[in-house]
Amino acid sequence: MREKLQNILTEALDAINSGTDLEQIRIKYLGKKGELTAVLRGMGQLTPEERPVIGQLANDVRAKIEEALEGAASAFKAKQLEAQLKAEKLDVTMPSTRAKLGHHHPLTLVQRRLEDIFIGMGFSIVEGPEVEYDYYNFQALNIPENHPARDTQDTFYITDNILLRSQTSPVQVRTMEKQKPPIRVVSPGRVYRSDALDASHSPLFHQFEGLVVDKGITMGDLKGTLESFAKTMFGENTRTRFRPHHFPFTEPSAEVDVSCFMCGGKGCRLCKGEGWIEILGAGMVHPFVLSNCGIDPEEYSGFAFGMGIERIAMISYGVDDIRLFYENDARFIEQF
Ligand code: DAH
């Protein structure tokens, strides 16, 4: 019997170590119909002296098997936990996948930059209608009917005296009608010209107008303002150049160039070898325009300027085709 018990113990331990189903092993050796129980059933045949000895031995065997089973079970659980931890490992220091944000349109970016710069110089922002009277777009700006300047701006007419504004300059007139000097405003917005769409023309584009009217405003104020603007917009080393020009609503008038911020003026692809880039038109507000708006040109003077937002964006970002601004190709917009 001793031998039997010893065999049960060895067999059971072997089975446990070989890693087979622990519950099956428990049933096989320790269950009600298990091998140990079977042996104990035979205890009746033992002598009274042997009985406690064998009984003790049987208890030891049971205890050892139970202990081994428990040990194997907890080792198995630990292994399982380890495997689970490994499988579910999270590296919390790993960079997360960022939500994809949209991009501002380059024209929006340039318009805001222009607004910021002029707000910083004390200007406020005003707006005017895109559907405009001939009077504001032309007449009041000293461009009477049959004036050749009307030909340079191929205008979309809606009726004889209503049109899509071809420039933001009418906002000057609307502002001066409403507001007494001192006036210091900028006005961004859409303008329309019946031009065919190509790399440098679009029937819809954007302008940015500026107007200052006060007592004693001079060409020096215009130069200082635009020089300061150019340095902020294109870099501290930027120089400006005023070339004589003609606009009906300013006298004198100028076209303003900035030294090329790519080559510093030596001549490159951006400035087409010129060293200078034209950025805007400007001048001293024509006395006729002031008096058209009820402002006495004897008492007040002013300056004005106007630039194309597309043009500024094209030179700032090196965009060589205006059509890219209107196609809304995400691959283009994403670059800004
Ligand atoms: N309105 C002009 C244009 O569309 C640009 C311009 C020139 C505006 C001179 C001005 C200015 O205010 O003073 O070509």
Side-chain angles (χ1 to χ4, degrees):
M1 228 170 170
R2 246 177 238 278
E3 213 173 300
K4 261 192 190 162
L5 284 171
Q6 206 55 56
N7 285 344
I8 287 174
L9 180 61
T10 334
E11 260 178 47
L13 293 183
D14 280 354
I16 291 167
N17 286 334
S18 72
T20 30
D21 189 327
L22 295 177
E23 184 56 15
Q24 257 173 27
I25 295 172
R26 195 188 62 77
I27 293 168
K28 180 165 182 216
Y29 294 98
L30 307 180
K32 273 187 192 147
K33 292 172 186 166
E35 298 195 11
L36 190 63
T37 321
V39 173
L40 293 177
R41 285 217 180 91
M43 293 259 285
Q45 295 152 14
L46 296 176
T47 62
E49 297 80 51
E50 277 177 324
R51 232 175 267 162
V53 183
I54 296 297
Q56 179 66 45
L57 186 63
N59 279 342
D60 286 353
V61 167
R62 171 180 288 275
K64 278 186 182 144
I65 294 175
E66 274 173 352
E67 197 186 327
L69 277 171
E70 243 167 65
S74 63
F76 177 74
K77 270 191 198 143
K79 230 191 216 162
Q80 217 177 18
L81 182 66
E82 199 183 322
Q84 188 185 1
L85 286 176
K86 219 180 225 169
E88 295 176 5
K89 192 163 126 181
L90 269 183
D91 182 354
V92 293
T93 66
M94 236 163 72
S96 61
T97 46
R98 275 216 234 147
K100 218 175 160 193
L101 287 179
H103 289 249
H104 285 300
H105 193 283
L107 294 179
T108 307
L109 294 175
V110 168
Q111 182 180 321
R112 289 192 183 167
R113 179 92 180 103
L114 296 174
E115 287 172 359
D116 283 350
I117 293 173
F118 282 98
I119 285 171
M121 289 197 269
F123 286 71
S124 24
I125 297 170
V126 291
E127 282 183 90
E130 292 171 27
V131 178
E132 186 55 285
Y133 288 107
D134 180 291
Y135 174 78
Y136 289 101
N137 195 79
F138 289 128
Q139 208 83 32
L141 288 165
N142 200 28
I143 312 173
E145 248 168 86
N146 304 319
H147 190 287
R150 292 200 179 206
D151 290 344
T152 63
Q153 302 187 0
D154 281 324
T155 309
F156 288 113
Y157 275 89
I158 293 169
T159 67
D160 274 353
N161 65 344
I162 296 176
L163 44 76
L164 294 180
R165 67 178 181 188
S166 61
Q167 49 186 356
T168 43
S169 303
V171 186
Q172 288 185 30
V173 180
R174 288 183 172 274
T175 305
M176 286 188 277
E177 276 184 353
K178 272 193 293 234
Q179 207 179 314
K180 290 294 133 216
I183 292 170
R184 227 179 290 131
V185 293
V186 284
S187 187
R190 294 192 191 102
V191 299
Y192 302 83
R193 290 183 196 179
S194 81
D195 284 326
L197 187 65
D198 65 23
S200 51
H201 296 87
S202 163
L204 179 161
F205 61 104
H206 300 75
Q207 283 189 338
F208 191 87
E209 191 85 12
L211 173 71
V212 170
V213 183
D214 202 354
K215 286 180 179 155
I217 297 292
T218 68
M219 192 93 182
D221 296 310
L222 172 61
K223 282 198 83 173
T225 303
L226 293 182
E227 268 168 25
S228 169
F229 156 69
K231 283 181 192 295
T232 314
M233 186 73 195
F234 301 110
E236 209 29 59
N237 297 323
T238 307
R239 286 161 290 130
T240 44
R241 178 172 85 172
F242 282 56
R243 279 180 291 103
H245 199 74
H246 173 264
F247 297 105
F249 34 88
T250 45
E251 179 58 34
S253 305
E255 274 186 336
V256 179
D257 302 339
V258 291
S259 56
C260 179
F261 44 87
M262 194 131 111
C263 63
K266 287 198 279 291
C268 68
R269 202 170 49 91
L270 182 66
C271 59
K272 303 196 172 67
E274 294 284 323
W276 295 93
I277 302 171
E278 184 198 321
I279 56 159
L280 55 80
M284 301 307 291
V285 182
H286 198 293
F288 287 175
V289 177
L290 290 175
S291 48
N292 283 342
C293 303
I295 293 177
D296 182 359
E298 297 294 329
E299 195 179 354
Y300 292 102
S301 55
F303 67 75
F305 57 88
M307 61 187 111
I309 296 181
E310 277 80 352
R311 179 163 179 76
I312 303 293
M314 286 170 89
I315 58 179
S316 300
Y317 296 127
V319 175
D320 56 10
D321 192 325
I322 200 170
R323 288 169 288 200
L324 288 164
F325 292 127
Y326 315 114
E327 285 163 358
N328 284 329
D329 185 331
R331 292 168 302 180
F332 174 71
I333 309 288
E334 265 169 9
Q335 297 177 47
F336 302 92

